[in-house]
Amino acid sequence: MVHTLQADGVTFEDVLAELAERRVEFREQRYVPKDFIARLKELGIYRAATPTRFGGQPLAPADFLRRIERISAVDGSTGWVASFGSALVYLAALPLETQAEIYRDGPDVAFAGGLFPVQPAEPTETGFLVDGRWKFASGCMGADVLGVGIPGDETTAGKPRTAVLRPEQVEIVQEWDVVGMRGTGSFDLVVRGAEVPREWTFIRGGTPTVDEPLYRYPTIAYAAQVLAVVGAGVARAALDHAEEVGAGYAGVTGAPKLADRPYYRTAVAGAEAALRSARAWFYEVSNEVWETVLAGDEATDEQNAQLRLSSAHLAKTSSDVVAGLLEVSGTAPINTGHPLQLLHGDALVPKQHAFLGPSMYDAAGAVLMGMPPTTPGFR
């Protein structure tokens, strides 16, 4: 069964309007605060991947992706943080008893992780002694539970584990000075000598203990999709800006306004076509795979490759769209506070992510031709 997000007395538009007023605040402080995470929880973002058995309202991936895209069109950083509402699919690989404890106070749980670099963890009688420092824990300032990467063993087929901790067990070091997605709070996590029970660890993308459709959808591919669609939202914001200002902006030299310049009209139209085409394929593949899962079948290797490829393509297309609009917009975008300059930085981040980089084209191409993927963790 597919649920829609419900929020008593709160509309999506209300929250987006508040976000538009506060996005500068988030950018300047470099993270989305807990009070706004609470607003996203009211919308159901952080129960959209919680198992139904624990009170969740699991959404079809495409439905969740569209919500993240809308948030990202207002603020890419908040869209990026909200996208990790999907990360609860990882926790479905934990023992059911552990999940019951995580959701004890309700289904709206924000999970953030700093999984790399994987840090050594000494085995103990009941689990692992975790100690180290991890990078890129996006959304950690508003998280209810946190994950860090530790080595795997013979029982994990060599894949690393993630150890799940409570915020009070973790120190957050606010190092995050970047040109894009400045408000994601992708800070470092430091853990000193915390013993984590084995049943509070999982393999990312490991076999779920929950038998519901969402947890049969390819997990790592979904993780790539939720980041790629942030770029699409950012590109949509750039196109909306370009189309709105084109009719009114004239350069200081007295040259025709932007909309009167053929190259500008051509660039905007081409960008519109490119983004809409990449989005259409992206959502088409997602819907196809979801129908396969709902029918009780496992997604094929080719379907997984299509998910990965369409995600990488959307991330690249979105970045290219913003860069192209900036190029034809005259001298105005050279100002550091110009909307296109800020959006350009935000659009760059998804494309640079390991899940969405150039290697995905090679790996997907290999699978589509009947060969093994060339990138670890492709599925």
Side-chain angles (χ1 to χ4, degrees):
M1 180 178 181
V2 177
H3 297 272
T4 56
L5 293 178
Q6 301 292 329
D8 295 335
V10 178
T11 70
F12 213 94
E13 288 69 27
D14 290 337
V15 176
L16 294 182
E18 180 181 343
L19 177 58
E21 293 177 357
R22 299 185 63 186
R23 58 192 172 190
V24 175
E25 169 198 337
F26 300 168
R27 188 185 308 129
E28 289 178 348
Q29 70 185 14
R30 298 180 297 154
Y31 65 90
V32 180
K34 204 150 193 166
D35 72 288
F36 198 80
I37 297 296
R39 294 287 277 166
L40 296 173
K41 285 181 178 180
E42 291 178 52
L43 291 179
I45 294 295
Y46 290 99
R47 65 172 60 189
T50 300
T52 303
R53 66 182 295 156
F54 296 119
Q57 293 181 319
L59 282 176
D63 292 340
F64 182 77
L65 293 166
R66 288 188 181 91
R67 286 160 173 78
I68 298 305
E69 186 178 11
R70 287 186 64 194
I71 296 168
S72 302
V74 179
D75 180 54
S77 291
T78 304
W80 188 271
V81 170
S83 79
F84 290 102
S86 67
L88 297 181
V89 297
Y90 292 147
L91 302 188
L94 288 165
L96 290 175
E97 296 77 13
T98 305
Q99 294 183 58
E101 179 64 21
I102 288 172
Y103 299 118
R104 181 181 59 183
D105 296 327
D108 300 298
V109 172
F111 172 61
L115 305 184
F116 297 101
V118 172
Q119 299 288 349
E122 180 182 342
T124 67
E125 190 173 325
T126 59
F128 302 92
L129 192 63
V130 177
D131 194 283
R133 182 166 178 160
W134 294 262
K135 307 292 291 184
F136 302 124
S138 300
C140 60
M141 297 294 286
D144 301 301
V145 287
L146 296 160
V148 296
I150 61 175
D153 53 31
E154 66 279 358
T155 68
T156 71
K159 295 180 180 178
R161 293 179 182 272
T162 299
V164 180
L165 303 106
R166 295 293 186 183
E168 58 267 21
Q169 296 175 283
V170 181
E171 177 191 355
I172 295 174
V173 181
Q174 296 190 23
E175 288 190 356
W176 186 240
D177 185 13
V178 289
V179 298
M181 300 292 179
R182 298 177 193 173
T184 59
S186 301
F187 300 138
D188 293 5
L189 303 182
V190 176
V191 179
R192 294 302 179 208
E195 186 167 11
V196 179
R198 182 174 290 268
E199 61 269 23
W200 283 77
T201 70
F202 64 88
I203 305 168
R204 187 169 65 169
T207 303
T209 57
V210 177
D211 186 19
E212 296 180 17
L214 183 59
Y215 313 104
R216 296 194 292 269
Y217 190 87
T219 304
I220 305 301
Y222 193 24
Q225 286 186 296
V226 300
L227 301 181
V229 84
V230 174
V234 171
R236 179 72 264 161
L239 267 165
D240 289 347
H241 173 83
E243 292 166 6
E244 180 181 349
V245 304
Y249 175 78
V252 296
T253 63
K257 62 186 178 184
L258 291 173
D260 289 335
R261 306 176 195 183
Y263 69 83
Y264 186 82
R265 296 194 298 268
T266 301
V268 170
E272 189 76 58
L275 181 62
R276 287 179 178 267
S277 298
R279 285 184 73 259
W281 178 35
F282 175 83
Y283 282 111
E284 175 190 338
V285 174
S286 184
N287 286 325
E288 176 192 322
V289 177
W290 182 240
E291 289 301 320
T292 297
V293 168
L294 287 180
D297 298 322
E298 183 179 354
T300 66
D301 289 342
E302 181 175 341
Q303 286 179 319
N304 182 74
Q306 293 277 359
L307 288 173
R308 300 302 302 268
L309 182 57
S310 62
S311 297
H313 180 63
L314 181 60
K316 183 180 186 305
T317 300
S318 299
S319 182
D320 291 348
V321 160
V322 183
L325 294 173
L326 190 149
E327 183 178 339
V328 298
S329 293
T331 57
I334 68 173
N335 294 288
T336 56
H338 191 276
L340 284 180
Q341 195 65 256
L342 297 170
L343 292 168
H344 185 229
D346 284 351
L348 180 67
V349 176
K351 183 181 72 170
Q352 300 298 110
H353 195 279
F355 280 175
L356 299 167
S359 64
M360 293 303 107
Y361 288 82
D362 179 38
V367 172
L368 294 177
M369 288 181 277
M371 300 166 60
T374 55
T375 300
F378 190 71
R379 172 131 193 193

